[in-house]
Amino acid sequence: MADKNSFEPEIEFKDLPKNPSRLFGWVFPYYAVLFLVMGIYFVKHMNSASFNNVPAIYTDSLIVSADVEMKKGGIMPAIDLGIISNPNADLIGQGKTLFQTNCSSCHGTEGKGDGVAAAALTPKPRNFHETEGWTNGRTFTDLYNTLEKGVPNTGMIAYEFIPAKDRIAIIQYLRTFTDFPKVSDQEIAKLDENFSFSKGVATASNITLEMATKKIAEEANTKLDLNVVIEKINQSNDKNIVGLFNSYALDKEKVLVVFSRDYLKTNNADLFIDRLIASPSANGFKPSIVELPREQIIQLFNVLVKAVS
Ligand code: HEC
């Protein structure tokens, strides 16, 4: 009867290492519970997991490497062409003052290309006493063009913001350093033709492309007051649709921004629905909105149109 009293364990623990596959039976329930919990968590959060939180704003894909410079327009008064052919001492004196303020830091107080900032520059600023090796040249027209356009890829920027008369004064001072080519009447006539010295010109103000793009975007995107719009939607007579909006709009602001930007312009319900179904979260809606019958989405469209416009 010894058999009756002896205790037979259901599992022979000592044998387990010999037969490890039996271990699986022990851990399986724990894993099953763990996976179930993770699964429930995932399903609960599926909407926000697929929610695309890139803001609904157009970004500018246009990368501009050479922007328009900002400048204030104005009227350039007519210039007496005599200051080109026969500069007087006054004009040259003005030129000297302007040169010291604007140019001497690089070109040196005596125009020898040895200003304080010159050391850091490659190529070095032009030494105006030298007659060889100029990039644009030494005629009056060349000098004027250099000030108008600068020398690309060097420290020599364009000085087109200095009024034409002052530029001419600087050039006349510069031309006193050494002998420069004489200015013929023909050359003066040509300059006058190109730059309208004797007529004077009105120049328009410029803003940079970036500023212009912003301005256009601001004008196009007449700010919609989110709270007012949502209030309007909530006051809509069709409470079902209001309910739909509140339960399917994942990000109300996004819905309204995208909606007012894209759909109001077309005012085309079919287009709206096609795009919405193609990509609910990009439009701020929960993915499950695709399950709604089309008529309901059309009603939603109509409520949105009313609220936004
Ligand atoms: C930041 C430094 C800097 C300043 C300020 C500057 N320049 Fe220059 N400039 C240079 C450099 C560098 C060159 C040489 C460009 C080259 O080698 O083509 C140069 C070249 C020139 C040339 C010769 C272009 C040629 O054909 O070789 C003229 C003319 C000139 N500058 C006039 C002026 C005048 C006038 C001013 C003031 C209104 C001025 N620069 C201010 C740096 C400067």
Side-chain angles (χ1 to χ4, degrees):
M1 295 293 116
D3 274 351
K4 265 200 176 162
N5 293 331
S6 75
F7 173 68
E8 269 279 337
E10 212 173 293
I11 287 184
E12 194 52 74
F13 286 97
K14 275 192 230 146
D15 288 348
L16 267 180
K18 287 182 214 146
N19 194 4
S21 64
R22 292 198 63 187
L23 267 173
F24 181 70
W26 282 75
V27 291
F28 172 76
Y30 299 108
Y31 277 102
V33 170
L34 186 68
F35 286 143
L36 189 67
V37 169
M38 280 164 64
I40 290 170
Y41 181 85
F42 178 75
V43 170
K44 280 234 156 215
H45 290 76
M46 208 146 71
N47 273 335
S48 46
S50 67
F51 169 52
N52 165 11
N53 55 13
V54 173
I57 295 172
Y58 276 144
T59 49
D60 181 18
S61 61
L62 191 77
I63 293 167
V64 183
S65 48
D67 205 343
V68 179
E69 296 218 13
M70 189 170 116
K71 63 181 170 210
K72 191 155 167 22
I75 308 266
M76 185 187 84
I79 291 170
D80 172 5
L81 295 177
I83 65 169
I84 303 180
S85 48
N86 291 308
N88 60 23
D90 259 7
L91 186 84
I92 293 176
Q94 281 167 28
K96 182 174 180 177
T97 314
L98 288 162
F99 181 86
Q100 300 307 344
T101 338
N102 295 289
C103 325
S104 65
S105 59
C106 292
H107 288 284
T109 46
E110 275 150 41
K112 293 194 172 145
D114 56 357
V116 283
L121 295 173
T122 323
K124 294 278 168 258
R126 185 71 54 227
N127 175 351
F128 299 129
H129 300 260
E130 275 173 13
T131 54
E132 299 292 315
W134 288 53
T135 306
N136 291 341
R138 303 171 67 240
T139 68
F140 192 98
T141 307
D142 294 336
L143 296 173
Y144 196 86
N145 282 334
T146 297
L147 290 186
E148 179 79 13
K149 299 252 150 61
V151 181
N153 306 319
T154 73
M156 183 61 202
I157 59 160
Y159 284 88
E160 91 292 334
F161 53 86
I162 296 182
K165 187 174 176 227
D166 291 351
R167 274 185 265 167
I168 292 173
I170 297 176
I171 291 172
Q172 296 295 21
Y173 170 66
L174 209 147
R175 282 164 57 88
T176 63
F177 291 135
T178 180
D179 276 347
F180 277 82
K182 295 253 165 314
V183 199
S184 68
D185 288 347
Q186 248 177 329
E187 189 181 347
I188 296 178
K190 190 96 196 136
L191 273 168
D192 190 28
E193 197 185 312
N194 288 343
F195 297 103
S196 306
F197 289 148
S198 58
K199 285 199 210 90
V201 276
T203 48
S205 298
N206 281 346
I207 56 173
T208 65
L209 287 183
E210 196 189 330
M211 290 161 77
T213 319
K214 244 193 212 148
K215 255 198 131 33
I216 292 168
E218 272 169 19
E219 275 166 22
N221 199 3
T222 14
K223 265 244 164 290
L224 80 165
D225 190 331
L226 198 64
N227 293 330
V228 173
V229 177
I230 290 179
E231 191 57 25
K232 271 201 212 166
I233 293 174
N234 287 330
Q235 278 166 7
S236 160
N237 296 332
D238 196 334
K239 293 297 167 226
N240 277 339
I241 299 300
V242 175
L244 284 185
F245 176 72
N246 285 319
S247 54
Y248 284 97
L250 193 56
D251 178 340
K252 288 182 182 155
E253 179 171 8
K254 188 170 184 171
V255 168
L256 295 173
V257 168
V258 174
F259 181 79
S260 61
R261 188 192 62 201
D262 290 353
Y263 306 121
L264 267 192
K265 283 188 205 127
T266 56
N267 198 11
N268 181 334
D270 287 324
L271 196 63
F272 166 65
I273 293 161
D274 289 344
R275 293 202 209 163
L276 178 65
I277 289 173
S279 170
S281 55
N283 290 291
F285 283 103
K286 286 184 188 172
S288 46
I289 196 167
V290 300
E291 290 155 16
L292 285 179
R294 203 170 172 96
E295 305 82 72
Q296 285 198 337
I297 304 187
I298 294 179
Q299 286 167 344
L300 184 59
F301 174 82
N302 293 332
V303 169
L304 288 179
V305 170
K306 247 205 213 134
V308 173
S309 46

